[in-house]
Amino acid sequence: MQKKELLYKGKAKSVYETENPDYLIMHFRDDTSAFNGERIEQLDRKGKVNNRFNAFIMQKLSEAGIETHFEQQLTEEDVLVKRLKMIPVECVVRNYAAGSIVRRLGLTEGQALNPPTFELFFKDDGLGDPLVNESLAISLGWATQAQLDEMKKLTYQVNDVLSKMFDEGGLMLVDFKLEFGVFKDRIVLGDEFSPDGCRVWDKETKKKLDKDRFRQSLGDVIEGYEEVARRIGVPMAY
Ligand code: 5GP
């Protein structure tokens, strides 16, 4: 499958059309952004690491019965995916408090959220991805109640599969963000799952191994991603 027209350039990935209208090619770039694109840097190996990480996770989710847009890793930085009609919300599950919920509610970072919470954010960089609720998503025609129910169910299923996988690697899956779309009337997991869109801490030391290393200028960002990859069994030899 060949890359055709550039369809969309996001902050970390570029998406291309292919000769088949049902499939797209996602290209993972080394660009790393924070604070809604205010700060952008190139981090060596990031595209390759995230492409492999994502391919590994998507295949594990698929084995667990969760339908994803992942078809096939094409090159070190390219992946073939189904073309979804994206729903413009970010689905976030939090097992522990960190990031925006700490700022919003004055919680203590690392505080357990039991059972895990589910939140929806409107995907809009200009507005800074604001928190929304299901009622608004329905009123504005972004999704139906049945679609939102399915997205929430799938997000919790992903949490069950991945929390266990990360725990076995001595890691805590603190929180993560998923995006879904519609493919032939079914809700399908899209976008990517990588340390760019989740928080992962070492279980013992609570060392941050995800994109917070970049957001908080902690250094060794990609080394953190590679450590997570190694500990959950992602094949990483280049
Ligand atoms: P928070 O709401 O605390 O900023 O983020 C919750 C989780 O969702 C974190 O794991 C964070 O990395 C992820 N997340 C939230 N918004 C975005 C986004 O726009 N892009 C990416 N890659 N991840 C996000």
Side-chain angles (χ1 to χ4, degrees), residues 11 36 90 92-94 98-101 103-104 119 121 123 125 129 175-177 179 191-192 195-199 211 215:
K11 289 183 296 244
N36 280 313
E90 300 182 337
V92 170
V93 159
R94 301 179 191 271
S100 69
I101 201 168
R103 294 190 293 276
R104 196 181 337 125
E119 293 177 338
F121 295 86
K123 194 173 161 60
D125 282 342
D129 296 346
D175 60 27
F176 62 88
K177 180 261 303 177
E179 294 177 30
D191 191 48
E192 68 176 275
D196 269 2
C198 64
R199 290 193 172 91
K211 196 171 170 184
R215 297 187 189 102

Side-chain angles (χ1 to χ4, degrees), residues 2 37 55 77 103 137:
Q2 297 288 319
E77 292 170 348
R103 294 190 293 276

Side-chain angles (χ1 to χ4, degrees), residues 23-132:
Y23 294 92
L24 299 172
I25 292 175
M26 283 194 328
H27 173 78
F28 286 78
R29 306 195 312 272
D30 286 346
D31 293 337
T32 313
S33 72
F35 315 118
N36 280 313
E38 263 176 48
R39 191 171 139 223
I40 300 177
E41 283 175 33
Q42 304 264 312
L43 296 181
D44 195 34
R45 310 193 297 289
K46 176 165 175 278
K48 294 185 179 61
V49 171
N50 278 2
N51 191 24
R52 283 189 185 217
F53 197 109
N54 174 63
F56 178 83
I57 297 280
M58 291 286 170
Q59 285 169 84
K60 292 286 180 195
L61 295 177
S62 171
E63 283 164 22
I66 297 160
E67 190 178 3
T68 83
H69 69 159
F70 177 86
E71 287 287 314
Q72 185 191 348
Q73 196 183 322
L74 296 176
T75 69
E76 287 285 36
E77 292 170 348
D78 289 344
V79 61
L80 181 69
V81 295
K82 295 184 190 82
R83 182 185 201 134
L84 310 184
K85 186 174 184 306
M86 295 306 291
I87 294 174
V89 295
E90 300 182 337
C91 297
V92 170
V93 159
R94 301 179 191 271
N95 296 303
Y96 301 92
S100 69
I101 201 168
V102 167
R103 294 190 293 276
R104 196 181 337 125
L105 300 177
L107 304 184
T108 304
E109 189 181 67
Q111 180 179 336
L113 299 169
N114 193 11
T117 62
F118 177 84
E119 293 177 338
L120 280 182
F121 295 86
F122 176 37
K123 194 173 161 60
D124 186 306
D125 282 342
L127 297 174
D129 296 346
L131 182 71
V132 293

